[in-house]
Amino acid sequence: MATPKPLNLDRRAIWAIALPAMVTNVATALIGLGDMWIVGRLEDAATQGAVDVGARLFAVLFTVMNFLKTGTTGLVAQAGTRAGEHGGESAQARLLARGIAIGLTIAVVLLLAKPLLMPLALDALGAKGEVLAAARTYANIRYWTAPGVMLNLALMGFLVGRRQMIAVLWIEVAYNVINVALGLLLALQLQWGIAGIGWSSFIAEYAKLTALLAMVTTGSAGASLLAALRDRAVLRWDAIRPFLSLNRDLFLRTLVLTTSLAALTRLSAERGPEVLAANGIIYQLFIFSALLLDGFENAAQVLNGERLGAGDRAGFASYVRAILWRGLVAAAILSAGFLLFADPILASFAATEGVAREAMRQALWLVAIPFAGVSSFVFDGVFVGASWTRAMLLSMAGAAVVFALALWLTWPLGNGALWGSFALFLLSRAVFQALLLPGRMRRSFANGAAEPPRPREV
């Protein structure tokens, strides 16, 4: 038998996915940072705290539905490398049709539940007095973006799974330019205040939906999608059940994550408006760094999903190592930037001097958190690409238990201990995922063909 030709570990493919995803994710982070900067110009700590509360509210209600994107990405990537009826463009279109149907259903449920959910969520986040009034104004407007958000998640996941990262990049950049420009116009120029921030998000979300629909409904992919939407068999229970099962685990995992993040807001609010506002700034900078490093998560979702679909264990393992090392280098660069420029960055976002002083006292955590989180971000991509959603849920639940214990033990130590507990939460996730990885690989590749030769880097 002829010796198989060695496979190539394509470093260019890693960067071809990761770099556009980084730019796209940074553009996404600019929404929160932009809103925080704009409201900071209003020079009111309560209003700045309200924007943070509102952002966390929609992290709970909307971001918890991010499984529509991540689940779709992994399945679409796997389908792209599979042969027969379970692979190819038509299979990818059927996956998107299911994602759209599920997204619309979730949006309807959220809108019907709005009178009950929104007051409960604001109360759970600890908003009171002026902060509560301003947060309610913002949330009452942005809540109606639910249908657009749900559809956009499924559509973005489809495009990322097909490696259409440049298209995703341009759509995301345009979305954020619209959002920030409208925020400046409505909140500051027209003096709508926090309501202007809400309306800018509303308009930008539906503009993004329009662009994404135009992208996926053109060409052969559009024809396949229309055929899938017309095929009733696509949405039969036996066809949609595996999709729902996978997304159930992702939903629960994301629910645990967003609940943990919401605890930061709740506990910050208990320490007063200045700590709430300062922690809100640090949190937005954490989101900025996480979304930047998530470019490597996107690369792992696609490349490891493709390798699993092809039954290539050696390629799968090599991409895990290659993406993880590149993520660690990027985290080092990001941490160095925060070490050098944290104080002026924090001061530029603060509404008052008191908020700035408190934020600067916690600046060290901006340096530590990228290192604590990057491995878990990469492992998230690996697990999503391989559809190991139950393992993701278990690792997240274990880390949440560690987080809760750390918060309980360190609460008397002050605000710095809150961020120390959060860094431990991120690190715990990576440890649990690393422990689960070898077993999941053995199971997933146990029934595959003979293992291909170890890839060599190109």
Side-chain angles (χ1 to χ4, degrees):
M1 180 180 296
T3 301
K5 182 180 179 180
L7 299 175
N8 291 325
L9 176 63
D10 190 353
R11 291 179 296 179
R12 290 167 296 183
I14 297 175
W15 292 111
I17 297 170
L19 288 176
M22 287 179 186
V23 178
T24 299
N25 291 341
V26 168
T28 300
L30 290 177
I31 293 180
L33 291 173
D35 288 350
M36 191 65 71
W37 184 87
I38 291 169
V39 80
R41 309 287 70 75
L42 300 175
E43 299 182 347
D44 181 69
T47 303
Q48 190 165 49
V51 170
D52 181 55
V53 169
R56 304 296 179 88
L57 167 64
F58 293 105
V60 175
L61 292 183
F62 289 171
T63 308
V64 75
M65 305 302 174
N66 198 52
F67 66 84
L68 285 169
K69 177 184 176 182
T70 54
T72 302
T73 295
L75 291 172
V76 167
Q78 292 176 35
T81 54
R82 286 197 177 116
E85 63 177 346
H86 298 294
E89 193 170 76
S90 61
Q92 292 176 329
R94 290 194 296 272
L95 290 167
L96 177 57
R98 291 170 190 141
I100 289 173
I102 293 171
L104 286 174
T105 302
I106 292 170
V108 170
V109 171
L110 285 175
L111 291 178
L112 290 175
K114 178 177 180 289
L116 176 64
L117 276 179
M118 202 175 79
L120 287 175
L122 288 173
D123 181 66
L125 290 170
K128 296 180 178 65
E130 293 180 359
V131 172
L132 175 60
R136 188 182 291 121
T137 298
Y138 172 80
N140 270 322
I141 298 167
R142 193 174 171 192
Y143 199 105
W144 291 97
T145 63
V149 171
M150 297 304 114
L151 289 176
N152 286 341
L153 288 171
L155 293 167
M156 293 282 281
F158 175 76
L159 292 176
V160 172
R162 288 167 56 88
R163 295 203 193 189
Q164 294 181 254
M165 297 304 302
I166 299 301
V168 171
L169 168 62
W170 285 112
I171 289 173
E172 201 68 51
V173 168
Y175 164 61
N176 284 278
V177 168
I178 292 171
N179 185 75
V180 173
L182 286 175
L184 290 169
L185 173 65
L186 300 178
L188 299 183
Q189 188 69 26
L190 299 182
Q191 299 183 356
W192 288 13
I194 197 168
I197 302 295
W199 281 113
S200 67
S201 298
F202 179 92
I203 295 169
E205 197 69 51
Y206 284 102
K208 178 179 177 179
L209 175 60
T210 302
L212 285 170
L213 286 173
M215 176 65 62
V216 302
T217 55
T218 56
S220 60
S224 296
L225 176 60
L226 292 176
L229 292 171
R230 289 194 297 264
D231 186 358
R232 293 184 180 180
V234 169
L235 298 181
R236 282 203 313 246
W237 176 247
D238 60 342
I240 206 169
R241 184 176 179 178
F243 192 85
L244 288 172
S245 177
L246 181 146
N247 283 329
R248 176 199 62 210
D249 292 336
L250 286 174
F251 168 78
L252 292 174
R253 171 259 180 195
T254 309
L255 182 62
V256 174
L257 173 61
T258 53
T259 301
S260 300
L261 295 177
L264 286 174
T265 299
R266 175 78 187 193
L267 296 175
S268 297
E270 291 184 8
R271 295 186 184 276
E274 285 192 346
V275 171
L276 174 63
N279 284 358
I281 296 170
I282 295 174
Y283 176 78
Q284 291 299 334
L285 290 171
F286 156 70
I287 291 297
F288 170 84
S289 63
L291 289 174
L292 182 66
L293 296 172
D294 268 354
F296 297 104
E297 177 183 349
N298 288 123
Q301 286 177 8
V302 176
L303 296 172
N304 286 96
E306 290 177 351
R307 291 305 89 213
L308 184 69
D312 178 7
R313 177 172 181 164
F316 187 97
S318 294
Y319 273 122
V320 172
R321 291 190 295 269
I323 296 170
L324 186 57
W325 279 115
R326 285 158 179 78
L328 289 169
V329 171
I333 295 171
L334 191 59
S335 292
F338 281 136
L339 182 64
L340 293 173
F341 303 111
D343 284 356
I345 291 172
L346 292 170
S348 70
F349 282 95
T352 67
E353 290 186 4
V355 171
R357 284 193 299 270
E358 178 59 33
M360 290 176 187
R361 280 195 286 268
Q362 311 306 327
L364 177 63
W365 295 111
L366 285 175
V367 179
I369 283 175
F371 276 114
V374 64
S375 295
S376 66
F377 303 153
V378 173
F379 282 134
D380 279 349
V382 173
F383 280 51
V384 167
S387 298
W388 297 336
T389 54
R390 181 57 54 86
M392 286 186 71
L393 173 59
L394 292 174
S395 64
M396 182 64 72
V401 171
V402 172
F403 185 40
L405 288 173
L407 289 173
W408 179 60
L409 292 171
T410 63
W411 174 253
L413 301 180
N415 193 32
L418 179 63
W419 287 106
S421 299
F422 183 65
L424 181 61
F425 167 65
L426 296 174
L427 188 61
S428 298
R429 285 178 57 203
V431 171
F432 290 136
Q433 288 168 315
L435 292 173
L436 289 169
L437 179 63
R440 298 309 305 177
M441 286 185 63
R442 283 194 298 271
R443 290 184 186 181
S444 294
F445 292 99
N447 299 320
E451 181 174 299
R454 175 179 290 274
R456 65 166 185 267
E457 293 197 9
V458 296

